[in-house]
Amino acid sequence: MSLTDVRVVRTEEPKHAPPNRAKFWLYRFDTKTVPYLLIAPFFVLFAIFGLFPIIFNGVVALRHWRLDDPTLTGWAGMENFTKLASDTDFWDALVNTFGIFILSTVPQLLIALMLANLLNRKLRGATFWRIGVLLPYVTPVAASTLVFAVFFSRDYGLANWMLSLVGFGEEQPLDWRADTWSSWIAIATMVNWKWIGYNALLYLSAMQAIPKDVYEAAAVDGAGPWRQLWRITVPMIQPVVLFTVILSTIGGLQLFNEPMLFDENPALANGGYDHQWRTIAQLIYKVGWRDLNLGYAAAMSWALFLIILIVAAINALATRRLGGGK
């Protein structure tokens, strides 16, 4: 072999040395394993504090489980669920829950949409107004509910004073806790006050992603602000609208803090002297931790869980249909 041949052989050798096996292993570990390690804490915590309680609650719902008499503990099968069908307290609480849910969720989302549309315009001090609408959301529920309890007081409440200005209740002040409809309105007002600003900012963030050219083209075609809102804005922010509908459905059907603290004696969880505003969440609390019947309370919890799934699915489907989706 000549020197020329040797040079040719050397120039044909690979330019890169074989990869280091340790570096290659670290690379695979970094790309294949590390992402799972980073998201693992969420799933571990969810399994411990989310999935396990749901499964365990389902097991308890199929058993007789009383804290005041351990001898009554045993397998019940579907007995607790069968008892729900004839339990008037459960059905009354379900009616109260849906009544407050409708009075709070529908006006809440509509007002939030209008407010977001207003905040999406060029306003002086826009940041101030956007932060201001979020203040009710960051206010503790206990503090705001106690303030509203005074606001809806029969004798010295501001609500009755405002009604008296228009000639209503001058002779006899309205007792907001006495009747079903008045207590529903009072509790729904508390819920709306807290969540309107939060939903409005969600809508606002979605509206700001809509190109301005779309509105300019609609204005050229003669579409006014109201028509632009319902024909352009709402369809283009449909995913956020769907999210708020589902979120409001879950929160509205699980309502607990506001009706609980609206009662003059919250520890009893009566929801009024005639249970006129007692929700299912309050009833579950009363059955489980005052009557100490955990098995029956667990069955109520599962019934509420299934009801929330059904209503949330119906609301999601209706929202898609109204928004032009499929």
Side-chain angles (χ1 to χ4, degrees):
M1 182 181 294
S2 64
L3 293 176
T4 306
D5 295 333
V6 173
R7 290 173 183 173
V8 172
V9 171
R10 287 180 178 176
T11 55
E12 291 178 354
E13 288 182 354
K15 297 182 180 179
H16 300 286
N20 188 297
R21 298 183 65 87
K23 290 183 178 180
F24 180 71
W25 183 86
L26 289 175
Y27 172 77
R28 288 184 58 85
F29 178 79
D30 185 50
T31 57
K32 302 293 184 180
T33 307
V34 170
Y36 292 99
L37 294 178
L38 293 176
I39 64 175
F42 165 78
F43 290 99
V44 172
L45 293 176
F46 175 76
I48 297 174
F49 298 104
L51 187 60
F52 172 74
I54 293 175
I55 298 174
F56 183 75
N57 192 57
V59 175
V60 174
L62 299 175
R63 297 176 60 86
H64 295 295
W65 196 312
R66 295 194 62 92
L67 295 180
D68 56 346
D69 190 356
T71 60
L72 296 178
T73 302
W75 187 256
M78 299 299 294
E79 182 178 338
N80 288 326
F81 293 96
T82 305
K83 184 180 178 182
L84 286 176
S86 58
D87 190 348
T88 57
D89 288 341
F90 175 79
W91 293 107
D92 290 342
L94 183 63
V95 172
N96 292 335
T97 302
F98 272 96
I100 299 173
F101 164 70
I102 294 173
L103 289 175
S104 59
T105 303
V106 177
Q108 175 191 140
L109 297 181
L110 289 177
I111 296 175
L113 185 62
M114 305 299 177
L115 184 60
N117 188 50
L118 179 62
L119 293 175
N120 196 33
R121 301 173 183 272
K122 294 182 179 180
L123 301 174
R124 291 185 177 179
T127 304
F128 170 78
W129 296 112
R130 293 170 184 176
I131 295 176
V133 297
L134 195 61
L135 289 180
Y137 174 72
V138 300
T139 303
V141 177
S144 61
T145 304
L146 291 176
V147 171
F148 274 105
V150 177
F151 181 82
F152 288 108
S153 176
R154 187 191 65 175
D155 296 325
Y156 303 105
L158 288 176
N160 283 336
W161 175 77
M162 294 171 64
L163 291 177
S164 66
L165 296 179
V166 294
F168 184 82
E170 293 181 348
E171 298 180 358
Q172 184 177 0
L174 176 63
D175 190 351
W176 293 90
R177 293 181 174 86
D179 297 324
T180 300
W181 67 270
S182 58
S183 59
W184 286 4
I185 292 175
I187 295 173
T189 303
M190 303 179 200
V191 177
N192 290 334
W193 180 83
K194 182 176 181 63
W195 290 99
I196 284 176
Y198 173 81
N199 290 319
L201 288 186
L202 290 179
Y203 292 151
L204 177 62
S205 63
M207 290 178 182
Q208 290 182 335
I210 301 176
K212 300 299 182 182
D213 298 343
V214 178
Y215 292 106
E216 293 175 358
V220 171
D221 291 338
W226 185 255
R227 190 173 182 182
Q228 291 179 18
L229 173 64
W230 294 107
R231 295 294 183 178
I232 298 176
T233 305
V234 174
M236 296 190 72
I237 66 170
Q238 182 181 348
V240 178
V241 174
L242 181 61
F243 171 75
T244 57
V245 168
I246 295 176
L247 193 68
S248 300
T249 301
I250 296 173
L253 296 180
Q254 290 181 335
L255 196 61
F256 178 78
N257 290 332
E258 286 83 356
M260 192 76 167
L261 296 176
F262 187 63
D263 204 339
E264 294 180 346
N265 191 351
L268 297 178
N270 285 330
Y273 68 90
D274 197 25
H275 314 310
Q276 59 266 32
W277 74 77
R278 183 169 65 183
T279 62
I280 295 182
Q282 283 184 282
L283 183 61
I284 293 173
Y285 168 81
K286 179 180 181 298
V287 172
W289 300 110
R290 290 195 59 83
D291 300 342
L292 304 179
N293 190 351
L294 293 185
Y296 192 43
M300 288 184 177
S301 300
W302 265 94
L304 178 59
F305 175 70
L306 296 177
I307 291 171
I308 290 175
L309 287 181
I310 295 172
V311 176
I314 294 173
N315 286 345
L317 180 61
T319 303
R320 288 182 180 276
R321 294 292 185 182
L322 292 175
K326 297 181 179 180

